[in-house]
Amino acid sequence: MRTSKLWSFLALSAAVLTTPVVVHAQATSPSANTPAPPQTMRLEEGEAPAVTINPPSTEKSITEKRELGKVKEVKVQTGRTTYYAKPIDPAGAMRGDGQSDNTQPVQFKVGEFGPPKDKPAAEEPQTLYPKK
């Protein structure tokens, strides 16, 4: 038991004593082996790019559908986003009742299905026929 503790202590001591030597060997003076950094030059400004980026439309369109004076649906269009808000009106619920909560998550319009749009016919690829 004593010899294993002695060897552990000697190994640890050797590691602690050699660490500063290894670190010092890695830190060399910068002028010894490395060249000086290149001189930088100021470049002339080029002309601005001819690209125009149009921001998305910020127009907001709100459409309400009413039936007998009550709002049945609200359609909100902002830019490319369209969503619908519909109030909850359960039958027999009294104000303040647990069922009378009038909030409902909005429904986003993700995609629209319909007849395919007219696409121009694709040109036939040129083919080479063997000579007869």
Side-chain angles (χ1 to χ4, degrees):
M1 247 351 216
R2 284 185 123 187
T3 57
S4 65
K5 287 184 181 180
L6 179 66
W7 285 109
S8 308
F9 179 71
L10 288 175
L12 184 61
S13 300
V16 169
L17 291 175
T18 58
T19 301
V21 174
V22 173
V23 171
H24 181 66
Q26 289 180 353
T28 59
S29 64
S31 62
N33 296 332
T34 58
Q39 295 294 326
T40 58
M41 296 184 296
R42 182 171 290 284
L43 298 176
E44 294 181 22
E45 291 286 330
E47 61 183 61
V51 176
T52 304
I53 299 174
N54 295 330
S57 173
T58 58
E59 292 183 27
K60 186 182 274 190
S61 170
I62 300 174
T63 308
E64 290 184 354
K65 289 185 181 177
R66 292 179 176 262
E67 188 175 298
L68 298 174
K70 288 187 171 184
V71 177
K72 290 295 179 184
E73 178 182 272
V74 177
K75 177 182 177 183
V76 180
Q77 291 178 312
T78 57
R80 292 184 283 169
T81 305
T82 301
Y83 63 90
Y84 299 90
K86 298 177 183 177
I88 296 176
D89 192 17
M94 300 292 288
R95 186 173 289 237
D97 190 7
Q99 296 175 344
S100 69
D101 186 19
N102 60 357
T103 59
Q104 179 177 352
V106 295
Q107 299 171 347
F108 283 88
K109 182 178 180 181
V110 176
E112 191 170 354
F113 298 99
K117 297 180 181 177
D118 295 334
K119 293 183 179 178
E123 296 180 15
E124 287 189 32
Q126 295 180 350
T127 41
L128 299 174
Y129 295 103
K131 292 183 180 180
K132 291 184 181 182

